[in-house]
Amino acid sequence: ETGVTQTPRHLVMGMTNKKSLKCEQHLGHNAMYWYKQSAKKPLELMFVYNFKEQTENNSVPSRFSPECPNSSHLFLHLHTLQPEDSALYLCASSQDFPGEPRPSYEQYFGPGTRLTVT
Amino acid sequence: AQTVTQSQPEMSVQEAETVTLSCTYDTSENNYYLFWYKQPPSRQMILVIRQEAYKQQNATENRFSVNFQKAAKSFSLKISDSQLGDTAMYFCAFMKHSVPMKWYYGGSQGNLIFGKGTKLSVKP
């Protein structure tokens, strides 16, 4: 599956480090998402970008900073993270069709970045 | 607020048999979508099947079918003729249908709400 790619696949960082996660979608979609998947918790939506504008921020701490330079790329900048931020971070994309009554809303996911904060 | 509940943390089934995964949800919305996603050990989340709430007919996709009971707010997934490759975490998800005005400004809300998942093991 190469529709949505994420790099790196694994990342170990200290609490004082600054790192970035990258997501790229090759599907021509116009919406992109960041999710956090922790053990024993449901997937949590973090950020939504429609047409490169952020439309949803589910009260995510400021130590997570998203960036969407164009409709194909999405970044998640990380700084001064906590050990409880260790999780699988999933990127997804979808195509919305303004004007059509029933869009599909299907989201396509990337393989994720396994983040460990030490 | 919407919630999604999957009451079976783990299930197992023999190869070639049928298994049903349960999902219930709570919402006051009338128009919404329901999904089942599969996450194999490789971690790539894959859409299995989708149901629009306004459709009474249950969705089917090859060996996968759903039993959608809107009044009961239940959305179970049936896997027929289970295969070893069906071994995965299965997530039920809910998305409300956003208003058309939102589309004018560039798209839907796209807020998928997931259950905690059911770990399915298919045994040879």
Side-chain angles (χ1 to χ4, degrees), chain A residues 50-51 100 105-107 109, chain B residues 39 44 50 103 106 108 110:
Chain A
N50 291 113
F51 297 118
E100 291 194 11
Y105 286 137
E106 291 182 28
Q107 293 186 18
F109 285 80
Chain B
Q39 189 177 36
Q44 189 98 25
R50 179 187 78 245
W103 300 344
S108 70

Side-chain angles (χ1 to χ4, degrees), chain B residues 80-93:
Chain B
S80 304
D81 186 25
S82 297
Q83 300 174 0
L84 296 177
D86 295 333
T87 293
M89 283 289 291
Y90 286 82
F91 294 95
C92 179

Side-chain angles (χ1 to χ4, degrees), chain A:
Chain A
E1 179 63 57
T2 58
V4 181
T5 58
Q6 290 186 244
T7 54
R9 294 293 306 272
H10 300 272
L11 177 63
V12 179
M13 59 185 288
M15 289 190 286
T16 58
N17 291 159
K18 288 185 179 181
K19 296 287 184 182
S20 296
L21 309 185
K22 179 183 177 181
C23 175
E24 184 173 359
Q25 58 95 1
H26 310 272
L27 301 168
H29 289 167
N30 57 16
M32 297 186 76
Y33 313 80
W34 278 117
Y35 288 90
K36 176 183 178 182
Q37 186 176 25
S38 307
K40 300 180 181 179
K41 289 180 69 175
L43 273 82
E44 301 170 79
L45 177 68
M46 299 175 73
F47 300 102
V48 179
Y49 275 84
N50 291 113
F51 297 118
K52 301 184 294 180
E53 294 183 2
Q54 185 176 322
T55 58
E56 190 87 17
N57 175 351
N58 274 3
S59 302
V60 179
S62 59
R63 57 185 184 270
F64 295 92
S65 175
E67 178 190 0
C68 191
N70 54 61
S71 58
S72 299
H73 294 85
L74 184 65
F75 295 88
L76 187 62
H77 303 301
L78 316 171
H79 64 96
T80 59
L81 294 192
Q82 304 298 313
E84 60 264 29
D85 296 323
S86 298
L88 182 70
Y89 288 84
L90 293 169
C91 174
S93 70
S94 69
Q95 179 64 36
D96 295 337
F97 299 93
E100 291 194 11
R102 303 290 181 184
S104 68
Y105 286 137
E106 291 182 28
Q107 293 186 18
Y108 293 80
F109 285 80
T113 295
R114 172 66 64 186
L115 174 67
T116 302
V117 181
T118 61

Side-chain angles (χ1 to χ4, degrees), chain B residues 3-60:
Chain B
T3 59
V4 177
T5 302
Q6 292 179 251
S7 59
Q8 305 149 316
E10 292 191 42
M11 292 190 72
S12 64
V13 63
Q14 290 296 128
E15 196 175 6
E17 293 188 348
T18 296
V19 63
T20 298
L21 309 183
S22 66
C23 172
T24 58
Y25 58 94
D26 187 25
T27 184
S28 58
E29 302 284 337
N30 190 48
N31 295 320
Y32 49 88
Y33 303 87
L34 295 164
F35 305 85
W36 277 99
Y37 278 88
K38 167 186 176 181
Q39 189 177 36
S42 66
R43 295 290 183 178
Q44 189 98 25
M45 190 86 71
I46 304 166
L47 179 67
V48 174
I49 200 165
R50 179 187 78 245
Q51 175 82 41
E52 288 90 343
Y54 70 93
K55 289 186 176 178
Q56 292 185 337
Q57 186 174 8
N58 289 325
T60 62

Side-chain angles (χ1 to χ4, degrees), chain B residues 83-106:
Chain B
Q83 300 174 0
L84 296 177
D86 295 333
T87 293
M89 283 289 291
Y90 286 82
F91 294 95
C92 179
F94 169 99
M95 181 191 293
K96 69 178 182 181
H97 178 64
S98 63
V99 295
M101 183 179 294
K102 190 76 172 177
W103 300 344
Y104 177 80
Y105 293 104

